[in-house]
Amino acid sequence: MQIQNILVVCVGNICRSPMAEYLLKQQYPQLDIVSAGISGLTGHAADEKAILCIQRLGINMSTHIAQKLNTELIKKADLILVMSQNQQKHLEQTWPFAKGKTFRLGHWRGRNVPDPYQHEQLVFNETSQLIQDCISDWTQHI
């Protein structure tokens, strides 16, 4: 199946999922890529430390506005990328039709992407690097 719509999910939609969203958008400008949070901080901008990480890569993420995950977003997505096994379980239990198209961003590495929220810049930098590495693992699958 051809992937057209990618949904990236984390908890608040202000740190990990926006970073992944904007990195994916840069790599796949032809695809429709959005992000959302399970308990999304609706209306909030991305975390300043996350914005800084992505800015260093020449990507402007300052326009990001957090949104809460909903049924419409899940229905529209061909591929849903989450940050942890718990998030994957939560999505598949809440929206059983998400099964089979929901994967961890770190699926090919067998790892979660830990939440940098309220940590120092260094932790955000490490998270950003991990997200970049995980995205490159998906290249042959998207």
Side-chain angles (χ1 to χ4, degrees), residues 27-28 109 131-141:
Q27 204 165 334
Y28 304 101
R109 292 170 184 255
I131 290 170
Q132 292 170 60
D133 295 343
C134 290
I135 286 174
S136 67
D137 295 340
W138 279 96
T139 308
Q140 55 200 350
H141 306 281

Side-chain angles (χ1 to χ4, degrees), residues 14-33:
I14 59 166
C15 301
R16 294 170 292 176
S17 58
M19 286 199 280
E21 174 193 353
Y22 281 77
L23 287 162
L24 282 162
K25 278 179 172 168
Q26 186 192 41
Q27 204 165 334
Y28 304 101
Q30 75 283 11
L31 300 182
D32 184 19
I33 300 164

Side-chain angles (χ1 to χ4, degrees), residues 15 18-20 22-23 26 46-63 121 124-125 128 132:
C15 301
M19 286 199 280
Y22 281 77
L23 287 162
Q26 186 192 41
D47 189 293
E48 283 175 22
K49 294 173 192 152
I51 290 174
L52 186 61
C53 288
I54 299 306
Q55 206 169 9
R56 288 185 184 139
L57 302 166
I59 303 169
N60 179 5
M61 193 168 80
S62 62
T63 55
Q121 187 67 50
F124 273 83
N125 297 348
S128 170
Q132 292 170 60

Side-chain angles (χ1 to χ4, degrees), residues 69-82:
L69 188 60
N70 61 46
T71 306
E72 282 314 299
L73 289 169
I74 290 177
K75 276 186 183 160
K76 189 181 175 199
D78 301 316
L79 174 65
I80 302 168
L81 297 171
V82 297

Side-chain angles (χ1 to χ4, degrees), residues 5-13 17 32 34-43 65-82 87 90-92 94-98 101-102:
N5 300 291
I6 300 176
L7 171 62
V8 191
V9 176
C10 71
V11 177
N13 193 217
S17 58
D32 184 19
V34 295
S35 66
I38 291 170
S39 53
L41 298 167
T42 309
I65 295 167
Q67 64 176 340
K68 194 166 165 34
L69 188 60
N70 61 46
T71 306
E72 282 314 299
L73 289 169
I74 290 177
K75 276 186 183 160
K76 189 181 175 199
D78 301 316
L79 174 65
I80 302 168
L81 297 171
V82 297
Q87 291 170 14
H90 172 75
L91 258 71
E92 291 173 348
T94 312
W95 295 279
F97 61 86
K101 65 177 183 178
T102 304

